[in-house]
Amino acid sequence: MSYLPDPATTSRHADQEVAGQTRFVATGAQTRGDFGLFEVTLPPGGGGPGPHVHRTFSESFHVLEGRLAVLDGDTWTTAGPGDLVYVPRSGVHGFHAADQDAGCRFLILFTPGAPREDYFRGMVELRAGGRVPTTEELDELAARYDQLNLRD
């Protein structure tokens, strides 16, 4: 017996939604909640979120190109092409492009498949037209999608 994928659960590159720097390779809705897989491209010196936690899902970062700095608890590590960094549920983490003169491209795997695409869409909306959102706006959006932003 062979398995043929259901066309409804096949994610084709040309049909994948892009929100800002993030392409939704597979959403939790497409994988029946098993996982979410997003591809992120950061420009040189590009920032990601500061320290934060998720209580209901883990994240793994797989670097495709460039170098990604990932905060794991209180230690920053730099991951290069082919490297994987795993962050368990409730693990403090953050990330940004490691180099000021080169960007990076990486996959984020969410398990289980939380509806993270809504968070990424919301970030694009908050920053539309070059607008700089307030800390309160960022924290409110994050809280809706199981992200607690941490500050010093």
Side-chain angles (χ1 to χ4, degrees):
M1 176 179 203
S2 65
Y3 174 76
L4 296 176
D6 179 343
T9 60
T10 300
S11 180
R12 305 257 184 234
H13 189 273
D15 298 327
Q16 294 164 355
E17 179 184 352
V18 174
Q21 303 166 324
T22 304
R23 181 171 58 88
F24 307 141
V25 177
T27 65
Q30 291 170 308
T31 66
R32 299 180 187 142
D34 287 340
F35 68 92
L37 182 65
F38 296 176
E39 180 183 315
V40 178
T41 302
L42 292 179
H52 64 280
V53 297
H54 309 289
R55 301 209 189 286
T56 62
F57 60 92
S58 66
E59 282 185 278
S60 295
F61 301 87
H62 176 72
V63 180
L64 301 171
E65 297 174 356
R67 296 176 350 118
L68 181 68
V70 181
L71 175 65
D72 182 8
D74 58 2
T75 304
W76 285 94
T77 187
T78 300
D83 291 344
L84 179 91
V85 179
Y86 167 72
V87 180
R89 294 176 192 193
S90 298
V92 175
H93 64 288
F95 60 87
H96 60 83
D99 298 323
Q100 292 299 315
D101 57 346
C104 64
R105 190 170 61 92
F106 57 98
L107 298 173
I108 302 177
L109 175 68
F110 306 98
T111 56
R116 292 297 287 168
E117 58 275 10
D118 292 335
Y119 169 78
F120 286 86
R121 288 180 190 126
M123 289 297 289
V124 169
E125 288 176 21
L126 283 178
R127 293 190 164 127
R131 183 176 174 277
V132 177
T134 66
T135 300
E136 292 76 22
E137 290 173 314
L138 293 171
D139 288 349
E140 190 277 328
L141 174 68
R144 277 189 272 158
Y145 301 104
D146 184 25
Q147 178 168 316
L148 174 62
N149 293 333
L150 306 173
R151 306 228 172 1
D152 294 333

